[in-house]
Amino acid sequence: VHSPCPLPENAQSYVFNTTVVPQGSLGYLSLWPEGEPWPLVSTLNALDGYITNNMAIVPTNNGLVDAYASSLTHLILDISSYFAP
């Protein structure tokens, strides 16, 4: 994806406003650095099935992050900032 506001290649973490729009009850959503093991923590929970958001700081090794949702959902990641040297 090309953007007029690209992120620097040396970004070490992203600050996301993470929003889910679940199709029903969503147990949890996890975000983590691409290529790393799946974490044992959730980024957000939406057991009631409502649109839910949470701020998250997610590290990255290569500019990419992985996501897992325990049920069907639409995922919106809004990058509000990043950390870089």
Side-chain angles (χ1 to χ4, degrees), residues 7 11-20 29-34 43-44 52-60 63-67 75-83:
L7 296 169
Q12 296 176 338
S13 295
Y14 298 122
V15 180
F16 289 118
N17 181 20
T18 306
T19 303
V20 292
L29 170 83
S30 292
L31 299 174
W32 69 95
E34 194 265 339
T43 302
L44 65 76
T52 305
N53 68 341
N54 193 25
M55 185 67 66
I57 298 174
V58 182
T60 182
L64 302 174
V65 297
D66 285 336
L75 173 61
I76 302 165
L77 294 176
D78 180 24
I79 298 174
S80 62
S81 187
Y82 59 87
F83 295 94

Side-chain angles (χ1 to χ4, degrees), residues 6 48 50 56-57 63 85:
D48 55 11
Y50 291 121
I57 298 174

